[in-house]
Amino acid sequence: MITAPQLRAARSLLGIDQRRLAELSGLSVPTIQRMEASGSIIRGNVDSLMKLIAALEVAGIELIGEGAVSQGGGRGVRLKAGFALARVSDADDAGPGGSLP
């Protein structure tokens, strides 16, 4: 399926806001907001998830599952296996010049 971080990254890559994604997918803005606020894997109505994924795919997003290989050859980002997102926010708390271990 799709994770909340993948959804936020996909929207960022497309350069669209939550309102535009809601329009593209036929979902409400509060639904998009709830999906993006999920802890990890987005849970919800299967129909809503399918609409969301279809809209992202039509817009040019390729969702890459854990351990899967990207076949598209386009630009993108991927979180390294085993990397903790908390490490990034901890570095942000260090202020300017803070570094990641």
Side-chain angles (χ1 to χ4, degrees):
M1 272 286 134
I2 183 173
T3 66
Q6 277 180 309
L7 176 54
R8 291 189 300 268
R11 197 169 51 75
S12 180
L13 283 170
L14 293 172
I16 61 174
D17 61 12
Q18 291 175 333
R19 180 177 313 272
R20 182 65 180 136
L21 181 56
E23 291 168 0
L24 293 172
S25 63
L27 301 172
S28 69
V29 173
T31 296
I32 299 296
Q33 291 171 334
R34 277 192 303 275
M35 288 177 166
E36 287 193 4
S38 298
S40 61
I41 302 253
I42 296 174
R43 306 230 187 275
N45 179 307
V46 173
D47 185 52
S48 295
L49 290 171
M50 296 308 293
K51 286 180 181 180
L52 175 70
I53 292 168
L56 291 173
E57 288 176 350
V58 167
I61 294 296
E62 176 189 3
L63 296 173
I64 306 169
E66 185 75 29
V69 176
S70 173
Q71 303 297 321
R75 292 180 183 227
V77 295
R78 170 179 234 148
L79 187 63
K80 292 179 182 178
F83 192 83
L85 291 176
R87 292 174 51 196
V88 175
S89 60
D90 291 344
D92 288 345
D93 294 339
S99 61
L100 295 175

